Amino acid sequence: QVHLVESGGGSVQAGGSLTLSCAASESSFSPKIMGWFRQAPGKEREGVAAIWGAGANTFFSDSVKGRFTITRDNAKNTVYLQMNSLKLEDTGKYYCAAATQGQGYVLDPLRYTYWGQGTQVTVSS
């Protein structure tokens, strides 16, 4: 069973930056797509970024486009989410996820089989 472990969350003031990391427990794990999702209290889980094709392809939700960057280091089996110009509404628990198959919208959470435990991001004014 593959485990995904997120790190890098924390508290930051609005306008600041954070970088989240997601490491897969198995070096041989080769998912089709890696994604980042977030969930704020009382809200549904929202997809924010995805990466596939050995990092050649990325996709971002409108809410983070231009502020967030997703990258992957295949040698380290790790995916990163660089978050800049953070806003209060970026607050939430961020989850890393992996999809091994499927088609359709890359940020559909139903496509993703493996999920991390999440890391909290809190943006304050």
Side-chain angles (χ1 to χ4, degrees), residues 14-112:
S17 299
L18 279 175
T19 299
L20 305 183
S21 300
C22 171
S25 60
E26 300 289 334
S27 60
S28 61
F29 185 55
S30 183
K32 186 174 184 179
I33 303 175
M34 293 293 296
W36 284 97
F37 294 77
R38 67 186 181 190
Q39 189 165 20
K43 294 188 176 181
E44 292 187 354
R45 190 167 294 190
E46 172 194 15
V48 296
I51 187 167
W52 69 98
N57 302 290
T58 59
F59 183 85
F60 300 90
S61 66
D62 288 343
S63 59
V64 307
K65 195 176 298 181
R67 300 187 297 121
F68 289 14
T69 302
I70 185 170
T71 56
R72 69 192 299 175
D73 185 333
N74 292 323
K76 295 182 178 180
N77 235 21
T78 300
V79 175
Y80 304 94
L81 185 69
Q82 172 70 41
M83 306 184 294
N84 298 324
S85 302
L86 283 162
K87 303 177 180 180
L88 298 180
E89 53 264 40
D90 293 320
T91 294
K93 197 164 188 179
Y94 282 69
Y95 298 87
C96 170
T100 57
Q101 58 186 355
Q103 297 180 350
Y105 182 49
V106 293
L107 289 181
D108 180 357
L110 295 178
R111 288 192 65 172
Y112 291 78

